[in-house]
Amino acid sequence: MAGRIIVVVEDEDAIRRGVIDALAYAGYDAVEAADGEAGLTAARGRDVDLVLLDLALPKMDGFDVLAALRKTHPTLPVIVLTARGSEDDRVRGLKLGADDYVVKPFSAREMLARVEAVLRRCPDRPHPIQSIASNGHTIDLARSEVRFADGTVAVLSEMETEILRYLATHADHVISRDELLARVWGIDDQHLETRAVDMHITRLRNKLAPADADDKVEWIKTVRGKGYMLGGGVAVTEREVGSEQSQ
Ligand code: CA
């Protein structure tokens, strides 16, 4: 568990310091934020593994942070910190997609136990995807190229490769346009930009279209009103961890 990055969003200095110290002592990399806005930004940072989120916060309350975070990071583990007796807060937090809660005042031991339990049941960072394939056509993500079954090759842009990599890494989930924008483009909450996602997907599908000529391959599936996901018949190959083989 050591080396995992945990964001602590808490406005009370004494509590925040205590949590940070306990996490650091247990070997985690802790990142702190003292208000909701800073917390949301920190939670959306690179390679964050878990968020400890107070609910009563200045600038943006914890519920709003959680709701906004779930749009772009639906599976990022979040534990809410709630006041004693506020059952409504706990229920509301869990309904908004929190993974667990800790009731204040809590001991460092209890908080660490919750963190460990949530990290344990959440999947580790997925292995990097090497390639995806369907019906004899292969998309090599490391080389950003498509090798069609007839031997022809097409080159993908960096953005096209990243879109496919993200969809393949989360192959069993529908990915919303907001999530793609945040995770592939690094843009948060700019709804006007979601059309850019559709345009990129259309262009990408056209580039992959030669694979459809003989037999229908659906690389990217549109899920109406929700977003996109990897097509059902597409096989995903992960890179072996620790071996640097390139085929
Ligand atoms: Ca507070």
Side-chain angles (χ1 to χ4, degrees):
M1 298 283 176
R4 302 274 203 128
I5 300 173
I6 300 186
V7 171
V8 180
V9 191
E10 167 64 68
D11 59 319
E12 283 169 67
D13 291 342
I15 298 178
R16 191 178 66 252
R17 288 306 329 161
V19 170
I20 294 279
D21 289 348
L23 289 171
Y25 187 75
Y28 296 102
D29 284 332
V31 176
E32 56 187 304
D35 66 65
E37 282 177 11
L40 180 58
T41 303
R44 283 172 166 166
R46 247 188 124 66
D47 295 335
V48 171
D49 292 294
L50 184 141
V51 179
L52 284 165
L53 179 65
D54 183 29
L55 291 175
L57 289 166
K59 292 196 183 170
M60 184 177 189
D61 78 25
F63 295 113
D64 289 344
V65 172
L66 185 53
L69 190 59
R70 278 293 171 252
K71 276 196 205 163
T72 53
H73 297 66
T75 58
L76 177 63
V78 175
I79 298 176
V80 293
L81 311 176
T82 70
R84 183 193 290 279
S86 52
E87 197 196 344
D88 285 354
D89 282 1
R90 291 203 288 279
V91 172
R92 205 174 146 203
L94 292 172
K95 273 190 178 160
L96 277 171
D99 296 274
D100 204 351
Y101 59 87
V102 185
V103 179
K104 293 180 187 176
F106 50 81
S107 66
R109 226 176 119 203
E110 183 192 352
M111 182 270 296
L112 288 172
R114 297 282 182 151
V115 166
E116 267 168 40
V118 168
L119 285 177
R120 229 187 341 260
R121 66 173 190 257
C122 293
D124 284 339
R125 277 180 207 152
H127 296 166
I129 306 294
Q130 171 96 26
S131 61
I132 57 179
S134 189
N135 277 2
H137 314 287
T138 302
I139 302 178
D140 185 331
L141 293 173
R143 296 180 181 191
S144 291
E145 64 180 32
V146 192
R147 293 190 294 274
F148 294 109
D150 66 2
T152 56
V153 172
V155 176
L156 299 173
S157 73
E158 194 182 329
M159 200 54 88
E160 290 163 343
T161 306
E162 289 313 310
I163 292 170
L164 287 169
R165 191 191 312 282
Y166 196 80
L167 294 176
T169 303
H170 305 86
D172 47 351
H173 296 283
V174 180
I175 309 296
S176 73
R177 291 167 176 83
D178 281 341
E179 185 177 354
L180 270 179
L181 269 177
R183 306 307 290 275
V184 175
W185 278 265
I187 299 170
D188 290 337
D189 280 342
Q190 297 192 10
H191 296 281
L192 289 176
E193 303 281 347
T194 54
R195 271 180 153 191
V197 176
D198 295 336
M199 283 164 53
H200 271 272
I201 298 276
T202 301
R203 214 174 305 154
L204 178 52
R205 278 178 171 150
N206 288 338
K207 200 175 268 191
L208 301 175
D212 299 351
D214 42 354
D215 34 44
K216 194 82 185 150
V217 175
E218 188 184 37
W219 297 100
I220 301 170
K221 190 164 132 189
T222 303
V223 182
R224 214 169 236 276
K226 292 192 168 162
Y228 297 103
M229 70 188 296
L230 199 69
V234 179
V236 175
T237 305
E238 291 177 351
R239 195 172 311 162
E240 297 283 334
V241 171
S243 83
E244 288 300 295
Q245 59 166 35
S246 62
Q247 57 187 78

